[in-house]
Amino acid sequence: MIRKVVNIIAIVVSCLALVASLGWSWLEGRWSAWSPPQGDVAEVGYDAFTKGAFGLEAFPLKYAVVAGRVSSAAFTTTVEDGRSLWETYGFLPNSKAAALKEPLCESNADQWLPYGFAVTNYVPMTAVQTSLKFAGLTCSSCHSGQLRHADGTLSQPISGMGNMDLDVIAFTDSVRNAVMDPDLTADKILDAYAKVCPDESTGLIDGIVEKIMLGGWLSGVRESMGGDTAKYGLPYHGIQIKQASDIPAGPGRTRPFCSIVRVAMDLPGDDNYAYSKIPVVFEQNQDLRPRAQFDGSLGDPVTRSFIAAYASGASIKALSKPEIVHNIKAAAAYTEQLGIAIPVKPFAAHFPDHAPAAADVERGLTVFQEHCADCHGHRPIASDPTKVEPWVAEGKYLHKMEGVGPLAPADGGLGVDAERVTFRYAHDLPLAIWTTLPGNPKIAAVQEKRLDKAIIDAQDAKAPALAYFWQKQKEKFLLTKRQYRLGHPLYFPACKEGDETCTDESLLDRAPPCSLDVNADPQTCEITAFEAFVNNPIPYAFLRAPYLHNGSVPTMAQLINLEKRPDQFCRGQNVYDPEMLGYTAPPPVDGKCTDPRQAFLFDTGVRGNGNGGHNYPAWDPDALTDQQRADLQALLAYLKTI
Amino acid sequence: MADLNTLPPPPFRREQFAISLLAFSLLFAFSTLFGLTQPDITFFRTHAFAWSSALLVTPALYIFIRRYDMAPLTHWWRLFWTFAWVMIAVHLVWGLGLEHDWRPLTVFERQGFWIAFPIFLLQGLWLIDIAMSWTRFDWAWPTGVYKYWQGFMAVFVFANFFVAMVIFRNDTESLVIGLLQTAVVIAAFLLRWNEREQSL
């Protein structure tokens, strides 16, 4: 009898285990079903850029609904000034939100989630797809902006412009604060959600899965962030989140190398002062812009997009999912054509009342050609001011590097703040990033050899700890190589589709470390670390404010020395100044930024915030002659049109 | 030697099926669901199915070594042997399908012929062996060529697992399971040898 009962129990348990496993596998197939969207780059690329999944899921959508309620301590900065949680951190508002009468729920998320948020079903890091929906960042969270007019109105979101309101590092700290809250539980989130959205029901199976996955997400992310505090420190909270003394990046800027050093090298990044404004991504076509980033460190736009997502927290696993790979490639292709085949509204279309006079523009072009075009090329004047002519990528120093450090070309450097290119580990990053993604077997073999060489080089340089570091990197690489046996789908350098002449050997010539020639022409190395900045075209210059790589010069008038560059100014939700071409950035009062909406004190005396250099034309704004002033005013007029 | 067709089949007891099915199901569920907690679900599952197959084949190898050419094989052996193959077939589906994009040639390119070939050969030969064990009357009392075939298959299957898990030892789990399996096989041989000694 006992034997019979045991047999029955064993068979029943077996059946349950099999049904659960096979059922889950079937559901996984359903949740992860995806087919590549069809259409041209303008349509498919735009969708990927603004709504695509990139493995940057911030938190579950239901939590996004109630975050302000259940985690108000974590998200409150004390400078809200009546703004929503999203607005306080500078996310672009959803244009449909004002008309929304119903409560903000999961079902109408597309009407209230800020512009640039995607709704995905990828669990962060593992990229497992379930029925639990997440709110995730996309390219356009950072790379779409709005112009704030003096009357408080906002332009439509402009794809490709950096979001200069976005305080993304502050937001990250708030999220870390929120999920590390020991009182936050799946039940608390779901209970709060049920009160806000009582009419929304989840199916039985989806409800069970949702609850399990929500609990799993919370414990996983808490463990991960809690475990990372040795590398990231504890997050800031309250007013600290908006204080430059605590979080020095501020609105419209990131610390990209702090992030990439952490994720690619697993080293702390706190001693990294390489602040970078969120760059515009117009006209990224490689004919115009063969090297991406301010320092020209990257070649391929797809690699650039991959690194942007990776540095922002997307896992290697997530970045291998077909949908995300598609989005990375489609978004990169979109930025290549954005401003060329895909129109971007020029200055005169945004500010018709401030369109410069044709004669000034013509004179300005002459000044531009004398002082700027050698490095930036130029844009011919369009007959219709609401349109632009194609950029002319011709110039003596165009696409060349302007050095700032020991590797500077003999004819001098740019003189801008050098922290962006001289930070610790800068010269180790190319190999670390390159070996993050194993290539196909042939390329992976070379990656392994280069790691071996790095170990030997470090030993020869009497740097045993560095040798140990590379040994660990190699172990990590070998594990990843086993996971991506045919090569990671985004490994680089890779042959472009349809390029029959491309071979693995030719690719390896472009793999780091591959060149010490700062001005090799063409610079084919896929990823470099020169202590230099690259000269590139500057299409849509009016959308590039504040200027210089670190956003330390609020207006174009200040950049070209028509006006003095301010030592300190307040940043946040600044009004756009169409006259001076940039942001109205008020000075602090008694060393403080008292307007809660512009609470970040930008001090150019702080390390990494320097506003010197790029001194063209090299005239003193306090001692301009009438002729110089007239030239600079004309130059400013021309710059409004490009 | 008795006429094979007249020998009764070894007794079948329901718990043989229940327990072997339970082992298979729990390992299958573990491989499928525990993967959700891992950084790379596909990678984990692919390996966990292989580890599970190694665990399932271990009792089959033990029984085979203890009884081969000495006593009739049992349903325990046949069931564990079969479930182990099913699990390795699932491993193949995940490994070849999801990690190699259903392109067997890439396995050869990556691993080289002498490592890749036995993997595929194992799948085929083991399936043939299982088909015979479920269709031949003499599966429990093999004679002639079939007896040597069964012996060869046991060696071939163990050698494959040993090379993959102990020699290559790609991860700690593989090494531990491989060593466990090897220990069980050695123990089975020692017990078999001891039994023979005592029967002389």
Side-chain angles (χ1 to χ4, degrees):
Chain A
M1 181 61 187
I2 291 173
R3 181 178 283 184
K4 205 171 182 177
V5 170
V6 168
N7 285 342
I8 290 169
I9 290 171
I11 288 173
V12 168
V13 170
S14 300
C15 290
L16 287 175
L18 283 176
V19 167
S21 314
L22 295 171
W24 182 268
S25 300
W26 178 79
L27 285 170
E28 268 183 13
R30 204 185 70 171
W31 290 322
S32 60
W34 175 79
S35 54
Q38 303 296 318
D40 60 18
V41 68
E43 188 185 349
V44 174
Y46 176 78
D47 282 349
F49 191 81
T50 55
K51 293 178 244 170
F54 287 92
L56 295 173
E57 286 69 26
F59 34 55
L61 198 46
K62 286 191 174 172
Y63 178 63
V65 171
V66 299
R69 287 177 172 78
V70 298
S71 299
S72 67
F75 287 102
T76 302
T77 63
T78 73
V79 292
E80 275 69 20
D81 194 30
R83 292 175 292 179
S84 71
L85 180 158
W86 308 105
E87 263 188 294
T88 302
Y89 290 94
F91 290 102
L92 305 188
N94 188 317
S95 59
K96 296 174 192 159
L100 195 61
K101 299 281 185 286
E102 300 80 33
L104 314 184
C105 297
E106 194 175 76
S107 61
N108 56 13
D110 62 326
Q111 296 173 62
W112 59 266
L113 261 186
Y115 185 85
F117 266 85
V119 176
T120 84
N121 65 349
Y122 290 95
V123 175
M125 305 311 288
T126 61
V128 171
Q129 287 167 278
T130 72
S131 58
L132 184 63
K133 292 194 174 74
F134 283 83
L137 301 177
T138 68
C139 299
S140 61
S141 311
C142 293
H143 299 288
S144 291
Q146 286 176 303
L147 299 174
R148 180 171 283 100
H149 297 266
D151 63 2
T153 57
L154 290 166
S155 71
Q156 288 296 308
I158 302 166
S159 281
M161 174 189 172
N163 181 352
M164 287 303 121
D165 290 0
L166 181 61
D167 215 346
V168 70
I169 295 186
F171 179 69
T172 307
D173 262 36
S174 298
V175 173
R176 290 177 64 217
N177 244 319
V179 298
M180 286 164 79
D181 175 0
D183 284 342
L184 186 67
T185 62
D187 284 338
K188 191 172 177 181
I189 294 168
L190 292 173
D191 289 349
Y193 183 81
K195 280 181 193 152
V196 177
C197 304
D199 299 333
E200 296 225 334
S201 64
T202 312
L204 178 67
I205 292 177
D206 282 352
I208 294 169
V209 170
E210 188 176 78
K211 190 164 180 178
I212 293 171
M213 294 311 296
L214 192 57
W217 163 76
L218 196 52
S219 63
V221 76
R222 188 174 289 155
E223 194 178 325
S224 163
M225 288 183 177
D228 275 346
T229 50
K231 199 164 58 177
Y232 289 82
L234 286 175
Y236 289 101
H237 62 275
I239 188 61
Q240 294 174 323
I241 283 174
K242 289 286 183 180
Q243 280 179 342
S245 53
D246 293 316
I247 300 185
R253 298 203 307 173
T254 62
R255 298 176 74 184
F257 295 99
C258 171
S259 305
I260 196 79
V261 160
R262 281 167 172 164
V263 299
M265 302 178 79
D266 202 24
L267 292 170
D270 269 354
D271 57 349
N272 190 302
Y273 300 90
Y275 305 124
S276 175
K277 72 176 174 187
I278 299 171
V280 301
V281 287
F282 302 119
E283 303 194 4
Q284 302 285 301
N285 184 301
Q286 284 195 283
D287 293 337
L288 291 176
R289 184 177 290 270
R291 308 293 299 176
Q293 304 283 41
F294 294 111
D295 60 357
S297 55
L298 296 174
D300 193 277
V302 173
T303 303
R304 177 214 58 189
S305 295
F306 148 70
I307 291 176
Y310 179 54
S312 302
S315 67
I316 293 300
K317 180 66 190 173
L319 290 164
S320 73
K321 299 293 258 188
E323 182 184 5
I324 295 177
V325 171
H326 161 84
N327 287 337
I328 292 271
K329 290 182 176 175
Y334 176 73
T335 62
E336 286 190 69
Q337 291 306 318
L338 186 60
I340 305 174
I342 302 166
V344 171
K345 272 166 73 172
F347 177 83
H350 284 282
F351 300 101
D353 298 341
H354 295 271
D360 289 345
V361 174
E362 208 156 311
R363 180 175 173 184
L365 172 59
T366 312
V367 181
F368 187 87
Q369 282 180 318
E370 187 180 342
H371 294 281
C372 316
D374 278 352
C375 291
H376 294 300
H378 74 282
R379 194 183 303 273
I381 299 165
S383 52
D384 176 355
T386 61
K387 295 200 169 88
V388 291
E389 291 291 320
W391 196 273
V392 177
E394 289 169 7
K396 204 174 358 172
Y397 304 117
L398 183 68
H399 302 151
K400 303 276 186 200
M401 304 276 190
E402 296 285 348
V404 295
L407 295 176
D411 57 350
L414 199 54
V416 297
D417 191 294
E419 293 290 344
R420 172 71 173 69
V421 290
T422 56
F423 58 91
R424 191 175 184 194
Y425 311 124
H427 298 294
D428 296 315
L429 257 181
L431 183 60
I433 294 174
W434 183 46
T435 51
T436 295
L437 301 183
N440 67 31
K442 203 178 218 175
I443 288 185
V446 176
Q447 288 175 305
E448 199 174 329
K449 277 185 194 158
R450 299 248 169 117
L451 285 168
D452 284 335
K453 185 173 181 303
I455 297 169
I456 293 165
D457 287 349
Q459 283 166 334
D460 290 348
K462 310 271 185 267
L466 184 61
Y468 174 79
F469 166 80
W470 285 120
Q471 202 172 41
K472 288 286 159 198
Q473 288 292 108
K474 186 183 166 189
E475 284 170 19
K476 204 163 77 174
F477 171 77
L478 292 177
L479 177 62
T480 319
K481 193 177 86 163
R482 288 181 58 215
Q483 289 165 328
Y484 301 100
R485 295 164 190 229
L486 306 179
H488 190 282
L490 289 173
Y491 81 81
F492 61 93
C495 293
K496 292 201 186 299
E497 275 173 37
D499 183 358
E500 300 294 329
T501 59
C502 178
T503 62
D504 286 346
E505 285 73 19
S506 67
L507 289 179
L508 291 170
D509 291 340
R510 293 159 47 194
C514 52
S515 168
L516 283 178
D517 182 358
V518 71
N519 272 324
D521 188 16
Q523 179 61 262
T524 54
C525 194
E526 197 68 20
I527 175 167
T528 58
F530 296 123
E531 293 179 356
F533 290 84
V534 70
N535 296 324
N536 265 332
I538 48 167
Y540 305 97
F542 76 105
L543 295 174
R544 294 169 179 264
Y547 297 95
L548 294 185
H549 68 276
N550 56 4
S552 57
V553 182
T555 70
M556 183 65 88
Q558 293 155 352
L559 182 73
I560 62 175
N561 291 327
L562 178 59
E563 291 194 333
K564 195 170 179 301
R565 300 177 185 183
D567 294 332
Q568 290 186 325
F569 53 92
C570 297
R571 283 281 291 116
Q573 293 184 336
N574 300 80
V575 169
Y576 192 85
D577 178 354
E579 281 303 312
M580 296 299 129
L581 216 56
Y583 290 101
T584 304
V589 178
D590 296 331
K592 286 184 181 160
C593 293
T594 49
D595 181 347
R597 298 191 177 217
Q598 293 163 26
F600 182 84
L601 173 63
F602 195 116
D603 185 346
T604 59
V606 167
R607 188 174 174 186
N609 282 354
N611 65 352
H614 193 277
N615 201 22
Y616 311 110
W619 300 334
D620 180 356
D622 291 332
L624 292 174
T625 64
D626 289 346
Q627 174 70 33
Q628 286 173 334
R629 185 174 301 281
D631 278 353
L632 291 179
Q633 280 166 343
L635 176 60
L636 188 62
Y638 170 73
L639 286 165
K640 289 177 183 176
T641 68
I642 61 171
Chain B
M1 175 66 70
D3 180 354
L4 294 175
N5 291 324
T6 62
L7 283 172
F12 175 77
R13 297 198 306 273
R14 195 170 291 152
E15 65 263 27
Q16 291 172 322
F17 176 72
I19 300 299
S20 56
L21 176 67
L22 183 67
F24 171 82
S25 309
L26 292 180
L27 286 167
F28 188 82
F30 168 80
S31 305
T32 305
L33 301 177
F34 191 70
L36 292 168
T37 66
Q38 301 298 306
D40 189 329
I41 191 169
T42 312
F43 185 70
F44 176 84
R45 283 181 181 165
T46 305
H47 287 77
F49 288 129
W51 302 332
S52 299
S53 179
L55 288 170
L56 287 168
V57 84
T58 300
L61 286 171
Y62 176 84
I63 294 163
F64 186 85
I65 295 164
R66 291 296 308 277
R67 302 183 81 91
Y68 181 66
D69 208 21
M70 288 173 68
L73 295 172
T74 63
H75 288 282
W76 284 115
W77 169 80
R78 190 163 66 160
L79 286 162
F80 274 106
W81 191 243
T82 304
F83 281 128
W85 178 83
V86 174
M87 199 65 96
I88 207 72
V90 178
H91 163 73
L92 180 77
V93 168
W94 279 81
L96 186 61
L98 296 176
E99 303 232 357
H100 283 270
D101 209 14
W102 292 112
R103 289 184 286 170
L105 281 181
T106 62
V107 183
F108 284 86
E109 282 170 20
R110 197 182 69 85
Q111 298 185 326
F113 180 84
W114 290 110
I115 295 174
F117 178 67
I119 294 172
F120 288 102
L121 188 65
L122 174 76
Q123 297 284 339
L125 294 185
W126 198 352
L127 177 62
I128 292 168
D129 186 55
I130 284 165
M132 287 198 285
S133 75
W134 286 96
T135 52
R136 288 181 67 113
F137 290 110
D138 59 344
W139 67 270
W141 302 272
T143 54
V145 175
Y146 182 47
K147 186 175 99 174
Y148 293 111
W149 164 266
Q150 276 196 339
F152 163 75
M153 277 311 299
V155 172
F156 186 55
V157 168
F158 173 69
N160 260 279
F161 277 108
F162 184 78
V163 170
M165 308 195 84
V166 178
I167 305 291
F168 291 157
R169 57 174 179 281
N170 283 320
D171 43 57
T172 312
E173 294 88 340
S174 296
L175 181 63
V176 169
I177 294 170
L179 289 176
L180 177 74
Q181 186 181 76
T182 308
V184 169
V185 165
I186 291 169
F189 270 114
L190 290 175
L191 288 169
R192 179 188 171 100
W193 175 76
N194 184 48
E195 212 169 312
R196 279 215 162 164
E197 287 292 302
Q198 285 184 349
S199 65
L200 289 176

